[in-house]
């Protein structure tokens, strides 16, 4: 996507005023804003494992992969989403150029073979997401080393290169042993590498820690060697507590490693939606604490995450796994006041029933978490395939654009206000702006007042102007009755938003109703 070109008049009024080497007039920030853009996290997962969402099949050309990626991002942008969670490490592989792990099978059909013509998929997705004003969260699987749908294990695989870390599961999976310090060090190195080299907005893990029991035919995880070594060294924890502690240490270290590399990058987790059966009392189901060895409640309690997305993939009225009951329990555990943005399964039911349940769950979340709402959709597939779902979202809770809620524990300093200029030509107003510190800006919000109502448009940092049109004239009333005066845009305000969601004070301009007027 290309940035909008600023016409010559605005280039003189705005860009010239902010040129380096000369005096800069102070920005007119105006009175404190009595309006603001909506705040809500709206994200979708894009799964690459088994080519679930992207690319549609292994072996596509680079051009075909890019075309599919652009179509997915365009769809999210049209539905007013503001973030995408892209799976970039399905199983100790990479959908990006890496010196640590091989190219993913899901790109080319051969693990270790780069896309052709050469390009970096993660960098492409980041650039395209940011050009649409959307965050890009890099989703990694921390321990899975091979998936049975990932082709044969090649000599480039960590299964071959680091066999001392690996255990084989009966259903065709290979898993890195989470209890080994070398496993933790390798996965931490992968996280650091991504954060250091790529302009990601977050690192994201889902619910795969120790594997689900069915991955090994119901048998226990085969870590006898590392367990015996622990016991032989004098270890006193039970086997379950020992496994959980290994994962706890890793989660804490990932959070710290991300912040040391780039303090503004978020760390998000989307664990299985039930911590333990009976928490709260009416809840029944899978016990992730005792079977995935994931003490997700601890991670939230300790604030080792910036956002927490429990996978609440059940209907509102399903009593043993009720969506609002579980959401309320997790909210009660959010003692550090991190972002709590639940995951919903938008494809669980087809057609109108699924669309209605999705909209209802979004509205329940808004009602229960009014100060920091957000929803993550599993997955992008139904959002692309179902026009019924798209229409329900766009005609309902996602009718307007929204900013991602701010993350003040990372940075609470708002950027400076932009410098703004505007001109009217008939019913059309062209506004342009500049900023004294462009690198502080991730988004712009262009507000405009029509009558007594304020509206807004959220634009990516690369856009420096916006064209606004007065509302169309009302149709003549039957019988020739006099029409009410047509409302016109009377005021404009533009603000700057930084990488963690802090918004500057808006710079206000009064807009004349006379055609051809200019407001420098």
């Amino acid at each position: 996507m290309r940035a909008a070109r600023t016409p010559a008049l605005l280039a003189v009024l705005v860009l010239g005023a902010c040129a380096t080497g000369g005096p800069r007039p102070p920005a007119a920030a105006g009175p404190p804003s009595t309006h603001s853009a909506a705040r809500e996290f709206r994200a979708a997962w894009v799964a690459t494992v088994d080519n679930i969402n992207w690319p549609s099949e292994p072996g596509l050309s680079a051009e075909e992969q890019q075309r599919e990626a652009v179509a997915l991002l365009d769809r999210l942008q049209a539905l007013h989403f503001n973030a995408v969670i892209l799976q970039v490490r399905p199983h100790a592989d990479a959908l990006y150029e890496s010196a640590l792990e091989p190219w993913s099978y899901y790109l080319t059909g051969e693990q270790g073979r780069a896309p052709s013509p050469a390009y970096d998929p993660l960098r492409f997705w980041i650039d395209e997401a940011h050009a649409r004003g959307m965050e890009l969260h890099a989703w990694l699987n921390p321990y899975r080393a091979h998936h049975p749908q990932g082709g044969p294990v090649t000599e480039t695989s960590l299964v071959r290169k680091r066999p001392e870390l690996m255990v084989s599961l009966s259903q065709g999976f290979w898993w890195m042993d989470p209890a080994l310090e070398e496993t933790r060090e390798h996965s931490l190195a992968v996280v650091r590498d991504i954060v250091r080299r790529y302009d990601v907005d977050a690192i994201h893990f889902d619910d795969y820690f120790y594997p689900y029991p069915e991955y090994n035919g119901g048998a226990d995880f085969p870590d006898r060697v590392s367990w015996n070594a622990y016991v032989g060294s004098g270890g006193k924890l039970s086997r379950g507590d020992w496994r959980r502690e290994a994962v706890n240490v890793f989660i804490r270290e990932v959070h710290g490693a991300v912040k040391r590399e780039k303090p503004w990058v978020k760390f998000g987790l989307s664990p299985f939606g039930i911590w333990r059966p009976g928490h709260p009392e009416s809840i029944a189901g899978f016990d992730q604490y005792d079977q995935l060895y994931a003490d997700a409640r601890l991670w939230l309690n300790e604030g080792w995450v910036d956002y927490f997305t429990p996978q609440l993939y059940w209907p509102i009225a399903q009593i043993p796994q009720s969506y609002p009951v579980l959401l309320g329990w997790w909210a009660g555990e959010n003692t550090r006041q991190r972002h709590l943005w639940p995951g919903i399964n938008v494809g669980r039911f087809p057609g109108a029933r699924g669309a209605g349940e999705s909209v209802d769950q979004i509205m329940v979340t808004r009602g229960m978490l009014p100060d920091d709402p957000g929803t993550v959709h599993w997955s992008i597939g139904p959002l692309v395939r179902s026009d019924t779902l798209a229409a329900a979202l766009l005609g309902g809770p996602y009718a307007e654009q929204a900013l991602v809620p701010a993350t003040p524990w990372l940075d609470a300093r708002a950027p400076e206000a932009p410098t703004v200029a505007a001109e009217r030509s008939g019913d059309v107003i062209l506004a342009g702006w500049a900023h004294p510190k462009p690198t502080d800006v991730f988004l712009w919000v262009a507000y405009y007042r029509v009558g007594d109502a304020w509206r807004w448009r959220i634009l990516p940092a690369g856009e420096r102007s916006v064209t606004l049109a007065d509302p169309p004239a009302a149709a003549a009333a039957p019988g020739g009755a006099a029409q009410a005066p047509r409302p016109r845009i009377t005021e404009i305000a533009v603000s700057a938003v930084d990488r963690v969601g802090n918004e500057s004070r808006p710079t206000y301009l009064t807009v004349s109703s006379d055609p051809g007027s200019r407001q420098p």
Side-chain angles (χ1 to χ4, degrees):
M1 296 179 68
R2 295 182 179 178
R5 296 179 61 187
T6 304
L9 171 65
L10 295 176
V12 172
L13 293 175
V14 178
L15 300 180
C18 293
T20 60
R24 182 183 299 118
S33 175
T34 57
H35 57 274
S36 59
R39 294 271 185 169
E40 183 173 49
F41 188 67
R42 302 171 183 171
W45 281 288
V46 176
T48 58
V49 65
D50 199 16
N51 297 99
I52 291 174
N53 297 132
W54 181 86
S56 60
E57 59 182 285
L60 297 180
S61 69
E63 181 181 0
E64 290 171 315
Q65 292 175 11
Q66 291 172 8
R67 186 163 54 245
E68 289 187 351
V70 165
L72 294 176
L73 289 168
D74 282 347
R75 180 68 160 182
L76 292 180
Q77 183 185 30
L79 295 178
H80 295 161
F81 279 64
N82 51 33
V84 59
I85 302 174
L86 174 68
Q87 191 174 35
V88 302
R89 190 201 190 207
H91 43 79
D93 54 354
L95 280 89
Y96 58 95
E97 190 171 359
S98 172
L100 299 173
E101 295 182 328
W103 284 102
S104 177
Y105 167 88
Y106 306 112
L107 289 171
T108 63
E110 180 184 337
Q111 190 177 55
R113 182 154 60 93
S116 179
Y119 85 109
D120 190 315
L122 176 54
R123 197 172 306 281
F124 180 85
W125 272 84
I126 291 169
D127 291 345
E128 292 294 325
H130 288 176
R132 290 162 175 78
M134 298 167 57
E135 293 186 355
L136 189 290
H137 295 209
W139 165 20
L140 291 73
N141 190 290
Y143 301 121
R144 188 167 58 198
H146 184 74
H147 190 286
Q149 299 303 315
V153 175
T154 70
E155 292 306 311
T156 66
S157 171
L158 260 67
V159 173
R160 296 284 183 260
K161 291 188 171 184
R162 300 293 303 274
E164 74 280 6
L165 305 183
M166 303 297 165
V167 298
S168 175
L169 307 182
S170 67
Q171 303 305 304
F173 294 86
W174 286 87
W175 219 263
M176 290 187 280
D177 187 342
L180 295 176
E181 184 177 355
E182 294 84 355
T183 292
R184 189 166 71 245
E185 289 174 349
H186 177 79
S187 290
L188 275 171
V190 170
V191 170
R192 291 191 193 99
D193 180 55
I194 292 174
V195 176
R196 184 180 299 132
R197 293 194 296 122
Y198 292 91
D199 192 21
V200 296
D201 299 282
I203 292 294
H204 183 94
F205 292 166
D206 58 358
D207 55 326
Y208 291 99
F209 299 101
Y210 279 80
Y212 282 87
E214 59 265 30
Y215 285 13
N216 200 34
D220 193 25
F221 185 73
D223 56 2
R224 178 178 53 83
V225 173
S226 55
W227 167 245
N228 287 345
Y230 170 74
V231 173
S233 68
K236 301 299 183 184
L237 294 175
S238 69
R239 199 162 187 170
D241 286 344
W242 168 71
R243 289 171 174 172
R244 276 184 290 273
E245 181 60 15
V247 180
N248 292 341
V249 169
F250 178 65
I251 296 298
R252 184 176 67 243
E253 289 182 347
V254 169
H255 179 258
V258 170
K259 297 301 175 285
R260 283 189 293 273
E261 291 294 336
K262 292 178 182 175
W264 62 90
V265 173
K266 294 186 280 282
F267 178 41
L269 279 164
S270 54
F272 185 77
I274 299 170
W275 177 62
R276 303 205 72 180
H279 297 267
E281 186 176 354
S282 63
I283 295 300
F286 183 78
D287 190 340
Q288 67 172 311
Y289 178 91
D290 199 39
Q291 300 202 61
L292 302 183
Y293 303 96
D295 191 355
R297 181 176 72 169
L298 175 70
W299 312 335
L300 182 61
N301 292 164
E302 295 293 333
W304 294 341
V305 294
D306 299 299
Y307 70 93
F308 196 75
T309 299
Q311 296 176 24
L312 306 184
Y313 290 171
W314 303 282
I316 291 170
Q318 187 166 312
I319 293 174
Q321 299 88 27
S322 169
Y323 177 86
V325 172
L326 282 165
L327 181 58
W329 185 84
W330 283 113
E333 295 295 331
N334 189 15
T335 55
R336 298 297 184 96
Q337 297 302 298
R338 298 308 192 231
H339 298 302
L340 179 57
W341 297 327
I344 66 174
N345 188 344
V346 296
R348 191 175 185 88
F349 304 108
R353 182 186 177 194
E357 181 73 30
S358 297
V359 169
D360 289 348
Q361 291 187 5
I362 292 168
M363 298 308 294
V364 164
T365 303
R366 288 181 177 183
M368 295 179 68
L369 306 171
D371 298 328
D372 187 18
T375 304
V376 182
H377 296 250
W378 173 259
S379 66
I380 198 172
L383 296 168
V384 172
R385 294 189 300 268
S386 174
D387 290 337
T388 300
L389 175 61
L393 293 173
L394 205 54
Y398 294 174
E400 301 289 343
Q401 292 176 291
L403 295 170
V404 172
T407 308
W409 54 91
L410 300 184
D411 179 5
R413 297 168 297 176
E416 296 181 41
T419 302
V420 184
E423 65 179 2
R424 174 186 281 280
S425 177
D427 291 342
V428 175
I429 299 161
L430 180 62
W433 51 86
H435 198 273
K437 297 180 180 179
T439 56
D440 287 352
V441 181
F442 184 65
L443 298 169
W444 310 101
V445 185
Y447 296 94
Y448 58 103
R449 188 169 72 178
V450 181
D452 293 330
W454 280 96
R455 302 170 186 172
W456 62 84
R457 291 189 190 174
I458 299 171
L459 303 164
E463 303 283 347
R464 298 297 180 90
S465 66
V466 67
T467 301
L468 305 169
D470 289 319
Q483 297 183 42
R486 178 161 61 117
R488 296 174 73 82
I489 297 173
T490 58
E491 196 171 0
I492 293 173
V494 180
S495 63
V497 183
D498 68 14
R499 291 297 293 267
V500 296
N502 297 309
E503 185 177 7
S504 75
R505 295 186 68 196
T507 299
Y508 288 82
L509 289 177
T510 300
V511 179
S512 171
S513 60
D514 295 331
S517 63
R518 300 173 182 173
Q519 289 78 31

